[in-house]
Amino acid sequence: MNESIAISASNLTKKFDDFTAVNDVSFKIFEGEIVGILGPNGAGKTTTLRLLTGVYKLEEGEKIEIFNENLKDNQINCKIKFGIVPEISNAYSDFTVLENLEFSGKMYGLSKEEIKNRSKILLERFELLDKLNAKTKTLSKGLKQRANLCLALLHEPPILILDEPTSGLDPISVKIMRKQILEFRKAGKTILITTHDIKEAQTICDRILIMNKGKIIADANPDTLRRDFKSISTIIFKTEKELDSKLMNYPTLIKRSDGTFAISSENVLKDLSELYNSFTLKNQIQISDVKIQETSLEEVFIDLIKNDSTKKKGVKND
Amino acid sequence: MIKDKLFKIWVMAKKNINLYIKKGPVIIFGLMFPFFMTLSWVLGRDISQNQIFVGIIAMTTFFTSTAISPIVFPIETREKSLERIISAPISLNQILLGIVLASALYSLLISSIITLIFIIIFQGLFSSLLYIFLFWLGIILMSILGSLLGLLVSAIPTDKTSDVMLIMNLIKFPLLFISGMFTPLDVLPFPVVVLSCLSPLTFLIDIFRYCVDGHSFFPYQIDLLVLVLWIIVFFIANGYFHRKTMPKRF
Ligand SMILES: Nc1ncnc2c1ncn2[C@@H]1O[C@H](COP(=O)(O)OP(=O)(O)OP(=O)(O)O)[C@@H](O)[C@H]1O
Ligand SMILES: [Mg+2]
């Protein structure tokens, strides 16, 4: 395959005084991919995006290339390739939607004619035409988000950077936004998106970078992530009788709030037969309604982060 | 290429004027302050018409030029719009120049209007057109200088306008009081004159006096040179400090 690399980031690090928010992060994003950075609050997602978009200065040894052009040497050329939708709206709140579009358009070198034509198309597409002359500070969160999308798309950038584009939106807006993102990909755009919503990452991303405490702890496509962690399926079952204390201490067994029991399992067949052995054969307790739950990406995510944390606590980082 | 760059500076400046001209601190510190300062200085005192004129214009130029430039970064840091322009294809220098231009144009406009009003009301302030031109050159230089000074103060990476305004006033008032605005330099003792020379305002007032009185403490060429030197120093300092503190705003 001869895919071209849209973004190549090497050894990104960002410290705030003594605190390392992004710690030696490297990744590549290919043209036309939707890549999600998934991580809990404070993982360093926004900081990573800010490094990419040239908000923070790069130190010695850090390198970012946008379509093979070095960001450090060609700031203007690289920055023009990005369309950025920030976590919190950063349009000029005292400007109207139209004034913001005009300002942005000029900033990105568009002609008056281009700004006018494209604005009309975008505002129509995002159903904002009636808000054309409303100050952005008067817009609701969802409308602000759409206005920010228009601003990001105005100069038709090849790369879209979306920082939690669906957080805080109502379910319908979320759906519309996700549909939009998939359409951007159809239009050939490369998309980098951050989220803490695992389902979102799972449904729209081609590849997921899981970030925790400033490091990328996994980089894979959603299916691979799930497959690798299939080892921890969950077996759910009912019993006809209460369990005695000995059985309650069965490895990994938990009683769930609905009265059913669950054990986690690396090998479902083997564990089922052991379960049957211990419960039914040895203790005459019938088990019923057995369900095997496939690991969700959510559990993968939590597991990865949990492991990452215990590892950090237990072993000294070298 | 250079035309594109200049155009973007102009777009930035226009944005700054549109957004910040009506902001509280700009009106309070840019217009009301010089007005009331002048009033309390002039009222009940025996001051010559020329001295009042020079004082009012010097104060107006100085105060209006330092009104917009210090508040742009704090406000845009708070409102997050700074991140929008920092990640846009425009250099930090262009952003800085956009602020200086806005602040200087605002000052230039207001100071020129007031000068014009004085010229019309008190005829015979200037004995020749050349003096008017020199006077106006002084206003232009001070507008740029003041706006660079205001911008420099806003290199503190804060998101509160009150922080920069406090420091701005801590700098502005001493510069005003040692400037020889209230007492002509010729009657001051030598050590005080030396102190006065620390304030760029001293040289502006000296140019102004030359234009209306026909004589000044320093040759006006020296005054112009000193103002230009201050502009260069502030220019370099702004580039240096903002480059350093900008990342701390995010
Ligand atoms: N300007 C700053 N000064 C000090 N610490 C900061 C600054 N910006 C971010 N941090 C810290 O760096 C860490 C990473 O922040 P970042 O905003 O990148 O996280 P995130 O993954 O985007 O989180 P969220 O999901 O909450 O948006 C956090 O612990 C945050 O407190
Ligand atoms: Mg974030």
Side-chain angles (χ1 to χ4, degrees), chain B:
Chain B
M1 200 55 203
I2 192 95
K3 211 178 125 207
D4 285 351
K5 282 188 178 153
L6 292 176
F7 176 70
K8 281 189 189 176
I9 294 172
W10 173 239
V11 172
M12 292 299 291
K14 234 170 52 181
K15 180 264 297 177
N16 292 330
I17 290 174
N18 285 335
L19 284 176
Y20 303 116
I21 206 164
K22 288 165 288 189
K23 292 278 174 195
V26 172
I27 293 173
I28 294 170
F29 294 105
L31 297 178
M32 314 236 301
F33 244 78
F35 180 74
F36 287 110
M37 284 279 295
T38 312
L39 218 59
S40 63
W41 168 53
V42 169
L43 283 183
R45 248 170 268 196
D46 184 25
I47 308 168
S48 76
Q49 177 189 302
N50 279 2
Q51 210 188 333
I52 292 176
F53 171 62
V54 164
I56 288 179
I57 303 303
M59 204 136 62
T60 306
T61 314
F62 188 50
F63 276 83
T64 49
S65 62
T66 47
I68 294 183
S69 57
I71 64 163
V72 176
F73 279 146
I75 293 181
E76 298 206 354
T77 303
R78 193 180 62 224
E79 295 218 323
K80 315 275 177 230
S81 42
L82 192 58
E83 187 167 349
R84 155 159 255 115
I85 49 178
I86 288 292
S87 49
I90 178 169
S91 68
L92 182 60
N93 284 339
Q94 285 170 294
I95 294 172
L96 295 175
L97 286 171
I99 297 174
V100 173
L101 186 58
S103 208
L105 282 178
Y106 174 70
S107 162
L108 185 61
L109 183 77
I110 291 179
S111 310
S112 301
I113 290 174
I114 297 180
T115 306
L116 200 65
I117 293 173
F118 267 88
I119 291 177
I120 292 167
I121 296 178
F122 306 100
Q123 292 190 349
L125 271 174
F126 295 99
S127 55
S128 94
L129 226 59
L130 225 61
Y131 286 129
I132 297 188
F133 175 72
L134 188 59
F135 193 89
W136 202 53
L137 190 61
I139 292 180
I140 294 176
L141 290 178
M142 183 42 84
S143 296
I144 298 170
L145 196 156
S147 108
L148 283 166
L149 172 66
L151 186 62
L152 189 60
V153 170
S154 76
I156 307 158
T158 176
D159 61 358
K160 291 187 201 71
T161 49
S162 53
D163 288 354
V164 287
M165 276 309 173
L166 181 76
I167 295 168
M168 197 69 241
N169 288 331
L170 281 178
I171 295 172
K172 257 185 337 195
F173 285 102
L175 288 183
L176 181 67
F177 292 133
I178 63 170
S179 70
M181 182 181 128
F182 302 106
T183 332
L185 289 184
D186 351 25
V187 298
L188 290 175
F190 181 71
V192 185
V193 172
V194 173
L195 185 69
S196 292
C197 288
L198 291 175
S199 171
L201 212 51
T202 303
F203 300 93
L204 178 75
I205 290 166
D206 205 43
I207 295 177
F208 282 0
R209 293 231 162 98
Y210 176 72
C211 294
V212 293
D213 293 341
H215 57 86
S216 55
F217 193 81
F218 301 106
Y220 74 87
Q221 294 91 337
I222 296 283
D223 293 328
L224 289 176
L225 184 71
V226 171
L227 291 182
V228 170
L229 285 178
W230 271 115
I231 287 175
I232 294 170
V233 168
F234 281 151
F235 202 85
I236 294 167
N238 267 300
Y240 177 77
F241 285 108
H242 281 289
R243 213 153 248 105
K244 247 190 146 134
T245 59
M246 185 53 73
K248 300 207 167 89
R249 295 179 185 275
F250 308 101

Side-chain angles (χ1 to χ4, degrees), chain A residues 45-47 87 163-164 194:
Chain A
K45 305 182 292 293
T46 301
T47 308
E87 199 170 353
D163 198 355
E164 299 189 25
T194 74

Side-chain angles (χ1 to χ4, degrees), chain A residues 14-17 19-22 37 39-50 56 87 163-164 194-196 211 214, chain B residues 247-250:
Chain A
K14 175 72 193 171
K15 287 190 177 147
F16 296 107
D17 301 322
F19 176 73
T20 309
V22 173
I37 302 185
N41 289 120
K45 305 182 292 293
T46 301
T47 308
T48 305
L49 296 189
R50 285 187 172 144
Y56 296 129
E87 199 170 353
D163 198 355
E164 299 189 25
T194 74
T195 179
H196 4 89
M211 214 174 166
Chain B
K248 300 207 167 89
R249 295 179 185 275
F250 308 101

Side-chain angles (χ1 to χ4, degrees), chain A residues 22-122:
Chain A
V22 173
N23 191 355
D24 199 21
V25 160
S26 303
F27 57 87
K28 282 187 173 62
I29 294 174
F30 297 97
E31 191 174 2
E33 259 191 320
I34 302 186
V35 174
I37 302 185
L38 179 66
N41 289 120
K45 305 182 292 293
T46 301
T47 308
T48 305
L49 296 189
R50 285 187 172 144
L51 282 160
L52 284 181
T53 54
V55 171
Y56 296 129
K57 248 183 283 164
L58 297 182
E59 305 286 331
E60 194 76 41
E62 303 176 68
K63 190 169 162 194
I64 291 170
E65 284 181 331
I66 309 300
F67 290 113
N68 297 319
E69 237 180 325
N70 194 323
L71 176 73
K72 238 187 226 168
D73 310 330
N74 305 290
Q75 290 258 351
I76 305 291
N77 266 352
C78 289
K79 285 177 174 179
I80 210 162
K81 306 229 163 66
F82 293 130
I84 305 163
V85 176
E87 199 170 353
I88 301 162
S89 170
N90 64 8
Y92 284 102
S93 60
D94 278 322
F95 270 168
T96 64
V97 174
L98 184 64
E99 284 169 333
N100 266 305
L101 281 163
E102 282 170 347
F103 175 75
S104 251
K106 286 176 190 160
M107 217 55 340
Y108 283 85
L110 303 183
S111 70
K112 272 203 169 111
E113 209 45 30
E114 282 171 313
I115 296 174
K116 210 176 118 199
N117 296 338
R118 290 187 196 178
S119 296
K120 193 165 162 271
I121 295 171
L122 284 170

